[in-house]
Amino acid sequence: SLGIVYAIPTPKGVSVPKSHRAAMSAPPDIQRRWRGAQLVEFRNHMRFPTFGPPLRREHFAPGPPLRCIWVFHVKADGTFRARIVMMGQFMVRGLHYGKTFAPTPSATVVKVFVAITAREKRKWVEFDVRGAFLTQKLPADTPVDIILPPGFNDTEPGSPDDVSDGLRRRCFRAIP
């Protein structure tokens, strides 16, 4: 392994929220930045059609829908990021997925890339690929229904309407 670990501190005065509710109860200037990060994520999902419109009960996939949550992060350059993440710990093999696949490079590929970069005396530049996971289509023979987090829906988690027919959607692409 590379054995390199970097701890990137959060910019002063900004606490990373653990939930949508915490992000929306931040001071107004910070709240706007978190909402802006959520809108960027929403646009990525619309661009790649990750999920469909709300489903009617007769179109539900077998089994319970998978819930999604917001994960917030502040990058080293001060950029606010919000991601929708599927609560995969509730997935059932054969019901929600058939096989697993993650489009990531192996450790050997990373080592070779670092070695070539060093040998050529080139600069290593970090960049962000927005929506990288959203390009992987899910197999049509394994339908997965999701419930999007607050910010996409009109109800808050835990409310009686929280799992109503209007909140359940079909997922078409991979969500981390």
Side-chain angles (χ1 to χ4, degrees):
S1 75
L2 295 175
I4 301 171
V5 177
Y6 294 100
I8 300 173
T10 303
K12 287 189 178 205
V14 176
S15 63
V16 177
K18 300 284 185 204
S19 69
H20 172 75
R21 182 173 292 170
M24 295 302 109
S25 57
D29 57 326
I30 301 297
Q31 179 185 348
R32 276 192 300 279
R33 293 185 73 185
W34 287 126
R35 189 63 187 145
Q38 287 178 315
L39 290 173
V40 168
E41 177 74 349
F42 177 76
R43 288 183 189 117
N44 282 336
H45 285 282
M46 293 300 105
R47 188 177 76 191
F48 286 109
T50 309
F51 45 80
L55 294 170
R56 299 178 95 140
R57 188 170 297 278
E58 60 267 16
H59 297 119
F60 284 3
L66 294 170
R67 295 191 166 276
C68 296
I69 60 172
W70 285 108
V71 174
F72 299 95
H73 177 68
V74 179
K75 297 187 68 148
D77 65 359
T79 305
F80 283 50
R81 298 304 298 264
R83 295 272 185 240
I84 294 176
V85 178
M86 193 179 291
M87 296 176 71
Q89 70 267 32
F90 298 111
M91 292 179 124
V92 177
R93 185 178 181 93
L95 181 63
H96 297 116
Y97 69 95
K99 61 180 178 177
T100 58
F101 173 76
T104 56
S106 67
T108 303
V109 170
V110 173
K111 288 178 185 179
V112 169
F113 185 75
V114 170
I116 291 171
T117 303
R119 186 184 72 207
E120 300 289 326
K121 296 183 175 142
R122 297 200 178 241
K123 184 178 176 183
W124 182 294
V125 178
E126 179 184 345
F127 64 94
D128 195 11
V129 179
R130 294 179 189 244
F133 283 97
L134 304 180
T135 59
Q136 183 63 40
K137 290 184 179 178
L138 296 178
D141 63 338
T142 311
V144 175
D145 289 353
I146 60 172
I147 293 185
L148 294 171
F152 279 93
N153 300 318
D154 295 327
T155 61
E156 286 294 315
S159 73
D161 300 326
D162 168 69
V163 290
S164 69
D165 295 356
L167 301 180
R168 192 166 173 158
R169 297 168 184 255
R170 182 68 34 87
C171 189
F172 300 124
R173 296 184 182 268
I175 297 177

